Amino acid sequence: QVQLVESGGGSVQAGGSLRLSCAGSGYTSSRYCMGWFRQAPGKEREGVAALWTGGGFTYYADSVKGRFTISQDNANHSLYLQMNSLKPEDTAMYYCAAEPGLPPVWLSRWYERSQYRFWGQGTQVTVSS
C-alpha cells in the first residue's frame, strides 16, 4: 500500500515562498503519476501540478504557472512543490497524490482527483496579505 506524507506547509506573507515535500513509501510500481492538489474551505479540490516519475510529462494549473515548480527525487521517493510569489488565494490544504503507471487518460486529465488512487493527509498553507 502506497503511503504519502506531506510536510513543509506553514504561514507566510504574500510574496513569500514555501517548499512542500511529499515522502512516499510502499511503492509497488516503478513509475507513478504524481500530483499536488489543493483545497480551500468551501471549494473543490483542484490540481495544482503534476509529473510522471519516468520523465517527460509535467503539468501546471494556469493559476500557478511561473510561480510553482514541481520536482522529484526518485532515489528518495520524494516529490516537491516549490512555491514562490505566494498570494492569499494560494491559501489551502495541499495534498500529494499518486497513481501507478501511466494511464493514457492521465495525460489529458492530470488535474482530476479521480486520476489518483493514493493520497496523503495534507499540509496547510496560509498566505496573509
Side-chain angles (χ1 to χ4, degrees):
Q1 181 78 359
V2 174
Q3 292 188 327
L4 304 170
V5 180
E6 303 94 337
S7 62
S11 297
V12 296
Q13 289 191 326
S17 298
L18 284 173
R19 187 189 193 215
L20 305 184
S21 299
C22 173
S25 62
Y27 289 128
T28 57
S29 177
S30 60
R31 295 287 183 259
Y32 283 79
C33 301
M34 302 294 298
W36 283 103
F37 283 71
R38 67 186 181 186
Q39 188 167 16
K43 294 189 176 181
E44 295 289 321
R45 191 171 299 188
E46 62 173 353
V48 174
L51 58 74
W52 183 55
T53 62
F57 301 107
T58 305
Y59 303 101
Y60 294 94
D62 288 343
S63 58
V64 306
K65 278 181 182 176
R67 300 189 298 122
F68 291 11
T69 302
I70 188 172
S71 62
Q72 62 172 326
D73 182 345
N74 278 338
N76 293 319
H77 301 294
S78 295
L79 184 73
Y80 304 100
L81 186 68
Q82 178 66 44
M83 305 187 296
N84 298 328
S85 302
L86 283 162
K87 304 175 181 180
E89 51 262 44
D90 295 318
T91 295
M93 185 71 79
Y94 283 71
Y95 298 90
C96 175
E99 175 64 24
L102 182 59
V105 67
W106 177 83
L107 297 173
S108 58
R109 295 185 177 182
W110 64 269
Y111 51 87
E112 295 180 350
R113 59 186 298 180
S114 63
Q115 299 299 316
Y116 303 84
R117 197 176 316 175
F118 304 105
W119 291 83
Q121 294 300 306
T123 185
Q124 178 67 38
V125 171
T126 303
V127 184
S128 58
S129 57

